[in-house]
Amino acid sequence: MLPGALLRNKGLKYVCKPISLTVANGQTRFTAGYQGQREVVMTQGNGDGNFFADADTLARIEGEGQVVFRYVDNPNGSVNDIAGVQNERGNVLGMMPHPDRAFEAELGSADGATLFRSIYAAA
């Protein structure tokens, strides 16, 4: 099970735009292909992307390296700028920016393709 919950965006509006993220944990099956790349661009496209968790859950997921991506400029109020989190086993990733919308440079970024290639390589 993924920790936390998603709330309405801070501004209560649907937002669709390119968004910069930092790779918070480059040692996952989702991020291995970034090979030390610290910042990536994905596409935010949601109205309910505000990640929330209680203090105990936050301490646990931060301490166990479950936070995979963070917003550079938090667009929706997510606690600790969390944009992507994996479950305890590291086999499920929940994230609100859309890597599928950042698959080719013509779309504004191909950084999402790297995430999918990482998953494929890990399989």
Side-chain angles (χ1 to χ4, degrees), residues 9 16 21 23 26 35 47 65 74 93 109 113 119:
N9 288 345
C16 185
L21 308 172
V23 179
Q35 300 178 354
N74 190 336
L93 172 68
S109 173
I119 296 168

Side-chain angles (χ1 to χ4, degrees), residues 4-112:
L6 292 175
L7 306 174
R8 297 286 300 156
N9 288 345
K10 178 177 56 177
L12 299 179
K13 294 184 180 178
Y14 177 86
V15 178
C16 185
K17 65 180 182 178
I19 192 90
S20 295
L21 308 172
T22 58
V23 179
N25 184 346
Q27 306 300 312
T28 74
R29 67 182 74 205
F30 309 102
T31 57
Y34 293 112
Q35 300 178 354
Q37 182 179 350
R38 293 290 304 148
E39 191 169 305
V40 298
V41 175
M42 304 282 179
T43 300
Q44 177 187 9
N46 61 66
D48 300 300
N50 183 347
F51 181 83
F52 173 80
D54 62 49
D56 291 339
T57 300
L58 283 172
R60 182 178 52 77
I61 66 174
E62 293 281 5
E64 294 176 3
Q66 288 180 255
V67 176
V68 178
F69 293 101
R70 293 185 197 278
Y71 293 110
V72 172
D73 294 310
N74 190 336
N76 54 23
S78 291
V79 68
N80 291 8
D81 301 323
I82 294 173
V85 61
Q86 67 181 356
N87 67 346
E88 290 176 355
R89 289 183 50 206
N91 64 336
V92 176
L93 172 68
M95 65 183 295
M96 279 314 293
H98 290 267
D100 56 305
R101 295 183 184 180
F103 212 79
E104 296 182 12
E106 291 81 12
L107 298 174
S109 173
D111 290 338

